[in-house]
């Protein structure tokens, strides 16, 4: 841990409800409402949903508890949390004589764990490069739906992507809104934004589902998501579902560690995390049911990929009654989702810079100004690289992973490589390095059986599961 970390007074949540809403907001974002439906459509529907559910419960839930617990123990930014937690565990052992066997590898590895901790900063940094670009798309479509601009023409989305001025403008507006919210602080900014937006998001989503049941093809949507065919489960489906479970639960992004460092001593991590993961699954399913109800009602393609909500849904909306209500509601829902997620992704970066470089980043607004400038510059590169015929498109398609464009490369790199790489050491660290009695004490889980089940999952099942599926990506099973 940097010696400067202690010189910055840490923020805190004003209450458990604010913490839960903020954590749900970090999870229930574009991952649940944008990415889950298009991933489900791409990977065959019910098979993906089943594996996603299992990954969320068996892997994402215990790992999420572990990350929040790590933050609560360390009370530090994600990059420094491993070292601080290890030192606190050692002091706990010395003071209480509560010995727990652990690998000798964990002793005197401050530089190593500092380096590993930086993965929890690299991952949100990578996501911050391309995520605001999608946020700009959402803001633009929200504006277009309210202004009743026709977005159903065949080339509308392509023309928008190929307009550098439009992309840069909306990317700028989205990034500005997000940084201003984070600038107001942990509780007054992030907390209050989520307390307002999360109930609004649930209300709008349930309203849209009602429209889907009344005017869409809900029966076919339900069958697509829940008519399970185990033969459709392939290694590709498993890998995609794991990546989605991790991404939509905010694992490996430093967010849960950071948010956990702001909670009170008596916070019930186990039940609160269960509520967050369950809410994420619930919203994902509801979003899928609503969106596919609209898509199936018009016999449009469900496997349109990332452009599903920008190319296909506007066409589906036009054939439904009350489209002037349904379409704006949907994009307002997306705006709420993308903003609450973005502010959570920014917070680990702010925490890291302020605690490790307090002289340079002495307050939030100065820190966020630097982050804003860097992210906007990188965002412009991502936007320009998606323009057909632009020299940046040619450069990145030639030099990047499997010929992907920069946007797709960053999405694949962060979701299937960096995020699992960042989540794996946390599981190993919590399972092997921290004193077991300290873990149970900080987790506030008095039921010994439930604690042992969680400890077994994070110590054995989660690391092995991550490694196996991670290797599948590289050996291309």
């Amino acid at each position: 841990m940097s010696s400067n970390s202690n010189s910055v007074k840490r923020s805190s949540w004003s209450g458990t409800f604010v913490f839960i809403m903020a954590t749900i907001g970090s999870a229930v974002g574009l991952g649940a409402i944008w990415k889950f439906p298009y991933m489900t459509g791409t990977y065959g529907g019910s098979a993906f949903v089943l594996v996603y559910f299992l990954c969320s419960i068996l892997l994402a839930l215990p790992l999420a508890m572990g990350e929040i617990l790590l933050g609560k123990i360390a009370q530090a930014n994600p990059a420094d949390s491993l070292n601080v937690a290890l030192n606190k565990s050692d002091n706990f052992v010395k003071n209480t004589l509560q010995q727990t066997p652990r690998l000798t590898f964990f002793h005197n590895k401050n530089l190593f764990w500092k380096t590993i901790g930086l993965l929890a900063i690299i991952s949100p940094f990578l996501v911050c490069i391309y995520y605001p670009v999608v946020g700009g798309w959402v803001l633009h479509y929200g504006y277009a739906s309210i202004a009743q601009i026709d977005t159903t023409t065949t080339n509308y989305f392509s023309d928008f992507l190929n307009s550098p001025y439009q992309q840069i403008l909306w990317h700028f507006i989205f990034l500005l809104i997000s940084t201003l919210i984070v600038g107001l602080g942990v509780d007054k900014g992030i907390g209050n934004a989520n307390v307002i937006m999360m109930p609004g998001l649930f209300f709008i989503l349930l309203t849209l589902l009602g429209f889907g049941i009344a005017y869409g093809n809900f029966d076919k949507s339900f069958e697509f998501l829940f008519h399970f065919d185990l033969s459709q489960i392939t290694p590709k489906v498993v890998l995609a579902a794991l990546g989605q479970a991790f991404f939509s639960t905010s694992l490996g992004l430093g967010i849960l560690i950071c948010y956990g460092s702001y909670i009170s001593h008596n916070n019930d991590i186990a039940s609160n995390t269960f509520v967050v993961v369950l809410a994420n699954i619930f919203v994902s399913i509801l979003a899928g049911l609503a969106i596919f109800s609209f898509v199936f009602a018009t016999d449009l393609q469900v496997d349109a990929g990332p452009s599903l909500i920008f190319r296909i849904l506007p066409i589906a909306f036009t054939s439904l009654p009350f489209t002037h209500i349904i379409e704006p509601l949907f994009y307002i829902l997306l705006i709420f989702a993308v903003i609450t997620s973005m502010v959570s992704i920014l917070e680990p970066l702010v925490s890291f810079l302020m605690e490790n470089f307090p002289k340079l980043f002495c307050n939030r607004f100065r820190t966020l100004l630097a982050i804003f400038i860097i992210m906007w510059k990188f965002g412009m590169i991502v936007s320009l690289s998606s323009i057909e015929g632009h020299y940046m498109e040619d450069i990145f398609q030639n030099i990047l992973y499997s010929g992907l464009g920069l946007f797709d490369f960053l999405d694949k790199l962060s979701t299937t490589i960096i995020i699992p790489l960042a989540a794996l050491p946390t599981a190993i660290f919590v399972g092997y390095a921290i004193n077991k009695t300290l873990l149970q004490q900080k987790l506030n889980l008095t039921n010994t059986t439930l604690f042992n089940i969680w400890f077994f999952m994070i110590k054995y099942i989660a690391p092995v599961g991550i490694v196996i599926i991670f290797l599948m990506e590289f050996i291309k099973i």
Side-chain angles (χ1 to χ4, degrees), residues 54-65 245-246 249 251 273 277:
L54 293 175
C55 287
S56 295
I57 297 299
L58 298 179
L59 294 177
L61 176 59
L63 282 169
M65 289 173 60
F246 278 27
T249 315
L251 290 172
T273 308
V277 173

Side-chain angles (χ1 to χ4, degrees), residues 141 151 153-164 167 307 310-311 386-388:
Y141 269 75
T151 60
T153 57
T154 304
N155 296 323
Y156 185 87
F157 187 59
S158 297
D159 291 342
F160 171 67
L161 291 184
N162 288 323
S163 171
Q167 285 230 57
S307 64
F310 301 111
R311 295 185 192 272
S386 67
I387 296 176
E388 294 178 6

Side-chain angles (χ1 to χ4, degrees), residues 57-85:
I57 297 299
L58 298 179
L59 294 177
L61 176 59
L63 282 169
M65 289 173 60
E67 289 196 3
I68 295 173
L69 178 59
L70 178 60
K72 182 181 180 180
I73 293 173
Q75 296 288 295
N77 69 83
D80 292 318
S81 288
L82 300 178
N83 274 337
V84 177

Side-chain angles (χ1 to χ4, degrees), residues 256-448:
L256 299 181
I257 297 174
C258 195
Y259 280 14
S261 72
Y262 299 144
I263 63 178
S264 63
H265 173 73
N266 60 354
N267 187 284
D268 187 351
I269 293 177
S271 60
N272 291 342
T273 308
F274 181 76
V275 169
V276 170
V277 173
L278 202 64
N280 184 48
I281 296 172
F282 183 66
V283 169
S284 298
I285 297 297
L286 289 185
L289 286 171
I291 289 171
F292 290 121
S293 292
F294 299 138
V295 174
F296 283 129
T298 48
D299 293 322
L300 294 169
Q301 63 183 115
V302 298
D303 57 348
S307 64
L308 175 67
I309 63 174
F310 301 111
R311 295 185 192 272
I312 304 301
L313 274 183
I315 299 173
F317 288 145
T318 59
S319 64
L320 300 171
F322 307 108
T323 183
H324 61 288
I325 297 175
I326 297 175
E327 188 171 9
L329 277 178
F330 177 75
Y331 287 109
I332 291 171
L333 169 72
L334 274 181
I335 289 170
F336 282 4
V338 71
I339 289 177
T340 54
S341 286
M342 185 63 200
V343 298
S344 68
I345 297 170
L346 285 170
E347 182 59 25
L349 302 178
V350 174
S351 175
F352 170 73
L353 291 175
M354 289 184 65
E355 292 182 16
N356 282 273
F357 309 99
K359 291 183 179 179
L360 183 60
F361 301 104
C362 55
N363 60 61
R364 278 186 165 264
F365 279 102
R366 175 181 288 190
T367 307
L368 283 162
L369 178 61
I371 292 174
F372 177 89
I373 293 172
I374 294 171
M375 295 308 166
W376 190 50
K377 295 287 187 182
F378 276 110
M380 284 195 292
I381 295 174
V382 174
S383 298
L384 294 175
S385 69
S386 67
I387 296 176
E388 294 178 6
H390 197 280
Y391 72 92
M392 283 194 178
E393 182 194 38
D394 296 332
I395 291 174
F396 286 110
Q397 288 219 345
N398 288 330
I399 67 174
L400 292 179
Y401 187 95
S402 299
L404 296 175
L406 181 58
F407 178 92
D408 292 328
F409 169 75
L410 290 172
D411 183 34
K412 188 175 185 66
L413 176 66
S414 59
T415 304
T416 63
I417 299 177
I418 300 298
I419 289 176
L421 271 180
L424 178 61
T426 300
I428 296 173
F429 187 85
V430 172
Y432 291 92
I434 304 299
N435 179 270
K436 189 175 179 179
T437 304
L438 177 62
L439 289 176
Q440 186 168 13
Q441 182 186 101
K442 294 295 184 179
L443 197 59
N444 283 341
L445 190 58
T446 55
N447 188 308
T448 304

